[in-house]
Amino acid sequence: MTLNPADEKLAKRLPEGVLRDLSPAYLEEPRGRFFGQAGLIAAPRDVEEAAAVVRACADMHVPIVPRGGGTGLVGGQVMSDGPAPLVLSLERMTAIRGVFADEGVMLAEAGATLQQARDAAAEAGRQFPLSLAAQGTAQIGGVLSTNAGGVNVLRHGNARALCLGIEAVLPSGEIMHDLKRLRKDNTGYDLRDLLIGAEGTLGIITAASLVLAPVPAETGVAMLVVDSPEAALRLLSLAQDRMAGGVTAFELISGQGLEFLSEHFPQIRQPFETRPDWMALVEVGLPAGLAADSALEELFVAGAEAGLVSDGVIAQSGQQAGEFWNLREHIPEANRAVGAIASHDISLPLSEIAGFIRDAGTMLAEQGDMWINCFGHLGDGNLHYNLFPARGRHRDDYDDIRRDLSYRIHQMVVARGGSFSAEHGVGRLKTGDLARWGDPARLAAMRAIKQALDPAGIMNPGAILPISG
Amino acid sequence: MTLNPADEKLAKRLPEGVLRDLSPAYLEEPRGRFFGQAGLIAAPRDVEEAAAVVRACADMHVPIVPRGGGTGLVGGQVMSDGPAPLVLSLERMTAIRGVFADEGVMLAEAGATLQQARDAAAEAGRQFPLSLAAQGTAQIGGVLSTNAGGVNVLRHGNARALCLGIEAVLPSGEIMHDLKRLRKDNTGYDLRDLLIGAEGTLGIITAASLVLAPVPAETGVAMLVVDSPEAALRLLSLAQDRMAGGVTAFELISGQGLEFLSEHFPQIRQPFETRPDWMALVEVGLPAGLAADSALEELFVAGAEAGLVSDGVIAQSGQQAGEFWNLREHIPEANRAVGAIASHDISLPLSEIAGFIRDAGTMLAEQGDMWINCFGHLGDGNLHYNLFPARGRHRDDYDDIRRDLSYRIHQMVVARGGSFSAEHGVGRLKTGDLARWGDPARLAAMRAIKQALDPAGIMNPGAILPISG
């Protein structure tokens, strides 16, 4: 179906005062791989206005690009070609509609930032246990639409697991009211989880009912030196056996990452005098009556006895715990300062990780001189496997092999039952990967669902699925 | 579209040896409200045979009723009218394809019973933390297709939260291969969660990748006497604050339920000499180094200090813990022995529960002489709110008001933001409730998805959505 650009004719059909000035800020994504276009920018104040905007676009066959904080890394938030879309920004729908501390539930509008949601939970003596580097800017609607992950997935799941219900505008312009504060509700198809992770291609989430978790009575963090990713995984298994689900984060950090850090952020104190090849950042949240530092110390002893841990340091204060996390969170920044040849947001079955790291390292050594920084959410099997130019060389020197390197890495991941997009989504960057490696029956069903809910193809065209003829 | 009965012509198109004898066992459901029909019973041995059966039915427009253990309570497993369907039983697909203890993952075929899956996990030193009364008969495929709940949802979520991926036959007869052992995989629409809870109307789950959880180092169970459901909820909140997610079950038991138990199961020892009006069964799973009985004792003391708990008993052994659970699990059996006028599987936002119980009690007192047994998974807001004839009367005496009573109860639940089906699903019993109380935009989207994936309407017709013209 032919789509039309968002123009003056459409503008006249929109609710009064909903338009914003065109600004490049709405057309950018963090890595600069895509630059969007827009005919109009609309920022509705409530769900009825959002629905009116969608209805107008549906009537006139104008594409809509929903926009949250714009922090996504796969180009889901920018439409580079085709007729100039209407960008629908959720920036004015930022209310925390209610916090139900005793229920462990919060109702937040889609434009509230993740940080806002976390703060509102903390004020009520609870936590919203989704945490990622971009949380000051990323918005709840985007976090859900991309099913964001982050560092606490091991304990609390992805964004999808933290959402009980949504309010959304469907591509028809109808409002779906499903903002339930219920842990159990088996009344038909799970449209909530269908819209979550659909990257704005099946509708626009305007508000969500979110899970709040209790704040653990005791928390602690340790950095533990391990010989290998395999040892780290065995340590994780040991930790989970001991902690009854109390392991809230388990991050793998490589010696290469520590080296990048010391080059670009020398002010960040590194915990070990000799730089280890691998270390794990372990965070626990424990019941009252069990001191976190002694539980971590016992884990260290058990890990050392099992030959898995050779050195370690346990945070002695909340401030020191914060410093450990600060180190972890600066790794992506150091990576940016170095300038990656290629980045991969992959996941693997846990028992395939060590083999993948070994084989991928061998393969890359044959491809040319480069550095690998492999780090990330090991407990979830989610690695950020990033390649960097060797000293004295520049990322541009690898232009001719970049695509091939990524193809080979993704191929190795898929062959081991892994995913070429663990937490970032498909967006416009990985539509080719999805078409290549996605299961054909699943892809056919996805296309059928897209066609059924958005027959005119106006919702974020080109994201996830290519625009159909 | 007109559907045709499963007959000899279809039989000739099916894989060799896939048919079973017609037997009434395939046509029953536990409460005897529906009695099914079947033209043919097919039991494929693998997913390819299952796909061949579905393709044959799709070609000939023959309805298919997928059948697991047959324990569902809403008639999803029996098609009472229309052309005689093919019943597709998963009984021959019972393999545990793999247990990956260190990953916390198991691959199970749909016909494996829940108990089989739980046993396989236990053998590997892990747990599959989904537990419900029918687990010896209920099969994994049915458990997922109905998104079953049970007693550990508070800690581990519903069936949906325990599934990482599925293998399924879609209504077209295509096989969707999505049996991933991944915690993170953001590669397009969440078809897994769409088929989970779709009660066999969008396809047939033939195998699943399931989450295994660590077995907590310390576990314990207590029965605590509380004044009211409200006090129980405040106690739950207190327990969660102390246990950092270590509360694995929190069940509400009413004095009425205890009375039914003492009448029909006098051999089950009741924990308190004076029968309390309300009590909570609290189960905890805790890290190494924190004894469960002392943690429960401290909870008791804190609860007593807060005026929430007046008496309690903590299991002193695994055997006694088993006795506590045995008491809880016999409540539905005692209910069946009494014979309910009407049962309601409802959920409410936690802060609406006390008000609902109060108002519903008042309403019912005006409607006639009856007993209420209100019990269930309080931590999930999921109550089984069941009505029984007063002494000397019989459930048939209430025939003329039964429907009206259920209508009023569901109406009160929905008005408080609750659900008329918390964990049992819609099946054929509650299609009217869904049509009445479901959000119109959500229902329209559900119909569009059904039409898109199953245009001939062959998959479990009449379940969830009425058969369309």
Side-chain angles (χ1 to χ4, degrees):
Chain A
M1 203 169 294
T2 317
L3 295 175
N4 303 310
D7 60 11
E8 277 307 302
K9 267 192 299 184
L10 176 68
K12 286 186 190 130
R13 305 245 336 237
L14 299 180
E16 185 79 25
V18 82
L19 288 178
R20 315 234 82 174
D21 291 342
L22 286 175
S23 147
Y26 294 100
L27 307 177
E28 290 166 358
E29 51 84 25
R31 290 187 178 163
R33 289 171 174 158
F34 300 89
F35 193 78
Q37 39 158 7
L40 298 168
I41 314 277
R45 282 153 289 206
D46 56 35
V47 64
E48 284 79 17
E49 279 195 355
V53 171
V54 173
R55 278 196 305 274
C57 292
D59 283 352
M60 300 182 69
H61 290 183
V62 173
I64 300 172
V65 175
R67 181 139 186 132
T71 61
L73 296 172
V74 290
Q77 70 279 61
V78 283
M79 186 171 155
S80 311
D81 42 34
L86 175 137
V87 171
L88 192 153
S89 168
L90 278 304
E91 67 194 70
R92 282 170 168 167
M93 292 187 65
T94 61
I96 303 294
R97 291 193 193 159
V99 179
F100 303 84
D102 284 343
E103 293 182 9
V105 178
M106 172 167 62
L107 300 181
E109 290 189 345
T113 64
L114 177 49
Q115 190 61 53
Q116 249 183 287
R118 289 174 57 85
D119 291 346
E123 263 172 54
R126 292 284 179 268
Q127 58 167 331
F128 180 56
L130 186 82
S131 177
L132 39 85
Q135 64 198 25
T137 311
Q139 297 174 4
I140 292 299
V143 159
L144 290 171
S145 292
T146 59
N147 187 30
V151 297
N152 292 134
V153 172
L154 182 62
R155 171 65 184 86
H156 295 284
N158 294 290
R160 181 172 282 132
L162 295 169
C163 180
L164 300 174
I166 55 171
E167 171 193 273
V169 180
L170 299 181
S172 60
E174 288 172 292
I175 300 169
M176 183 171 84
H177 296 281
D178 196 30
L179 260 190
K180 292 192 175 139
R181 283 151 41 206
L182 303 175
R183 250 74 179 183
K184 284 183 172 174
D185 176 32
N186 276 342
T187 54
Y189 303 160
D190 186 3
L191 294 180
R192 172 194 62 199
D193 284 329
L194 190 63
L195 263 71
I196 294 175
E199 304 185 31
T201 64
L202 298 178
I204 300 167
I205 295 171
T206 54
S209 171
L210 301 173
V211 172
L212 303 183
V215 178
E218 301 279 340
T219 57
V221 184
M223 300 268 212
L224 302 177
V225 174
V226 292
D227 267 359
S228 63
E230 206 159 9
L233 283 164
R234 286 172 59 205
L235 178 66
L236 168 63
S237 192
L238 187 70
Q240 284 181 314
D241 277 345
R242 300 180 64 86
M243 303 290 182
V247 184
T248 51
F250 197 97
E251 297 285 303
L252 182 71
I253 296 171
S254 74
Q256 188 63 67
L258 294 173
E259 196 173 323
F260 288 168
L261 270 181
S262 67
E263 279 172 36
H264 293 274
F265 295 95
Q267 71 278 23
I268 292 179
R269 202 171 59 166
Q270 299 212 1
F272 304 105
E273 280 194 23
T274 310
R275 181 176 304 132
D277 284 343
W278 298 99
M279 61 184 220
L281 185 156
V282 187
E283 186 188 74
V284 296
L286 301 171
L290 184 62
D293 53 355
S294 66
L296 284 168
E297 208 169 300
E298 282 172 32
L299 173 65
F300 172 78
V301 171
E305 278 171 7
L308 303 172
V309 181
S310 57
D311 199 355
V313 46
I314 296 166
Q316 296 303 310
S317 64
Q319 193 196 328
Q320 202 180 3
E323 284 167 16
F324 287 6
W325 273 114
N326 187 52
L327 182 151
R328 162 64 183 86
E329 281 156 11
H330 273 77
I331 292 174
E333 294 194 37
N335 287 345
R336 271 190 289 278
V338 178
I341 302 168
S343 309
H344 308 94
D345 164 43
I346 58 176
S347 64
L348 287 152
L350 294 188
S351 45
E352 299 289 340
I353 285 178
F356 166 78
I357 290 178
R358 185 192 59 226
D359 291 356
T362 306
M363 181 274 286
L364 290 169
E366 292 165 5
Q367 298 300 311
D369 202 14
M370 65 191 90
W371 285 329
I372 302 164
N373 186 9
C374 169
F375 68 103
H377 318 300
L378 189 69
D380 316 319
N382 177 195
L383 300 175
H384 298 302
Y385 192 86
N386 297 356
L387 312 180
F388 296 88
R391 194 174 300 275
R393 303 186 63 188
H394 189 267
R395 68 184 301 276
D396 298 348
D397 302 341
Y398 300 80
D399 277 354
D400 53 333
I401 59 168
R402 178 176 296 121
R403 281 175 65 99
D404 185 54
L405 291 177
S406 290
Y407 174 82
R408 284 164 182 262
I409 287 169
H410 285 164
Q411 193 175 43
M412 293 175 91
V413 166
V414 170
R416 288 179 180 272
S419 172
F420 59 85
S421 184
E423 58 176 8
H424 294 167
V426 176
R428 290 173 175 83
L429 183 65
K430 297 190 179 177
T431 49
D433 296 287
L434 180 59
R436 183 178 301 117
W437 282 300
D439 175 69
R442 183 165 169 263
L443 287 173
M446 283 171 55
R447 285 189 296 266
I449 289 169
K450 170 72 174 174
Q451 175 68 26
L453 296 184
D454 182 17
I458 61 169
M459 291 301 309
N460 210 8
I464 298 186
L465 296 169
I467 298 168
S468 58
Chain B
M1 203 167 293
T2 317
L3 294 176
N4 303 311
D7 59 12
E8 277 307 303
K9 267 192 301 186
L10 176 68
K12 287 184 191 131
R13 306 241 343 233
L14 299 179
E16 186 78 26
V18 84
L19 287 178
R20 314 233 83 175
D21 291 341
L22 285 174
S23 147
Y26 293 101
L27 308 176
E28 291 165 358
E29 52 84 27
R31 290 187 178 163
R33 288 170 173 158
F34 300 89
F35 193 79
Q37 39 158 8
L40 297 168
I41 314 279
R45 281 153 289 208
D46 56 34
V47 64
E48 284 77 18
E49 278 196 356
V53 172
V54 173
R55 278 197 305 274
C57 291
D59 283 352
M60 300 182 70
H61 291 184
V62 173
I64 300 172
V65 176
R67 179 139 187 134
T71 60
L73 296 173
V74 289
Q77 70 280 60
V78 282
M79 188 172 155
S80 311
D81 42 35
L86 175 137
V87 171
L88 193 153
S89 167
L90 278 303
E91 68 194 69
R92 282 171 169 166
M93 292 186 65
T94 61
I96 303 294
R97 291 192 194 161
V99 179
F100 303 85
D102 284 343
E103 293 181 10
V105 178
M106 171 168 60
L107 301 181
E109 291 190 346
T113 64
L114 178 48
Q115 189 62 53
Q116 249 183 288
R118 289 173 57 86
D119 290 347
E123 264 172 53
R126 291 284 180 270
Q127 58 167 330
F128 180 57
L130 187 82
S131 178
L132 40 84
Q135 64 198 25
T137 311
Q139 296 174 5
I140 291 300
V143 158
L144 290 171
S145 291
T146 58
N147 186 30
V151 298
N152 293 134
V153 172
L154 181 63
R155 171 64 184 87
H156 295 284
N158 296 289
R160 181 173 282 132
L162 295 170
C163 179
L164 300 174
I166 56 171
E167 172 194 273
V169 180
L170 299 181
S172 60
E174 288 172 291
I175 300 170
M176 182 172 85
H177 297 279
D178 197 31
L179 261 191
K180 292 191 173 140
R181 284 149 43 203
L182 303 175
R183 251 73 179 181
K184 284 183 171 173
D185 176 32
N186 277 341
T187 54
Y189 304 160
D190 186 3
L191 294 180
R192 172 194 61 200
D193 284 330
L194 190 63
L195 262 72
I196 294 175
E199 304 185 31
T201 64
L202 298 178
I204 300 167
I205 296 171
T206 54
S209 171
L210 301 172
V211 172
L212 303 184
V215 178
E218 300 278 341
T219 57
V221 184
M223 300 269 213
L224 302 176
V225 174
V226 292
D227 268 359
S228 63
E230 206 160 8
L233 283 164
R234 287 172 59 207
L235 178 66
L236 169 63
S237 192
L238 186 69
Q240 285 181 313
D241 277 346
R242 299 180 65 87
M243 304 290 181
V247 184
T248 50
F250 197 96
E251 298 285 303
L252 182 70
I253 296 171
S254 74
Q256 187 65 67
L258 295 173
E259 197 172 323
F260 287 168
L261 270 181
S262 66
E263 279 172 37
H264 293 275
F265 294 96
Q267 71 277 25
I268 292 180
R269 202 171 59 166
Q270 298 214 1
F272 304 105
E273 280 192 23
T274 310
R275 181 177 303 134
D277 284 343
W278 298 100
M279 62 183 219
L281 185 157
V282 186
E283 186 189 72
V284 296
L286 300 172
L290 185 60
D293 53 355
S294 66
L296 285 167
E297 208 169 302
E298 281 171 34
L299 173 64
F300 172 79
V301 170
E305 277 170 9
L308 302 173
V309 180
S310 58
D311 200 353
V313 46
I314 296 167
Q316 296 303 310
S317 65
Q319 193 196 329
Q320 201 180 5
E323 285 168 16
F324 288 7
W325 273 115
N326 187 50
L327 181 152
R328 162 64 183 84
E329 281 156 12
H330 272 78
I331 292 175
E333 294 194 35
N335 287 345
R336 269 191 289 278
V338 176
I341 302 168
S343 310
H344 308 93
D345 164 43
I346 58 175
S347 64
L348 288 153
L350 294 187
S351 45
E352 299 288 341
I353 285 178
F356 165 79
I357 291 177
R358 185 191 59 226
D359 291 356
T362 306
M363 181 274 285
L364 290 169
E366 292 164 5
Q367 297 300 311
D369 202 14
M370 64 191 90
W371 285 329
I372 303 165
N373 186 11
C374 168
F375 68 103
H377 319 301
L378 190 70
D380 316 319
N382 177 194
L383 301 175
H384 297 302
Y385 193 86
N386 297 356
L387 312 180
F388 295 88
R391 194 175 298 274
R393 301 186 64 189
H394 189 266
R395 69 184 299 276
D396 298 347
D397 302 344
Y398 300 80
D399 277 353
D400 54 332
I401 58 169
R402 178 177 295 121
R403 281 175 66 97
D404 185 55
L405 291 177
S406 290
Y407 175 82
R408 284 162 182 262
I409 287 168
H410 285 164
Q411 193 174 44
M412 293 174 91
V413 166
V414 170
R416 289 179 180 272
S419 172
F420 59 85
S421 184
E423 57 175 10
H424 294 167
V426 175
R428 291 174 173 83
L429 184 66
K430 297 189 178 178
T431 49
D433 297 287
L434 180 59
R436 183 178 300 118
W437 283 300
D439 176 68
R442 182 166 169 265
L443 287 173
M446 282 170 55
R447 284 190 296 266
I449 289 169
K450 170 73 174 172
Q451 175 69 26
L453 296 185
D454 182 17
I458 61 168
M459 290 303 308
N460 210 6
I464 298 187
L465 296 168
I467 297 168
S468 57

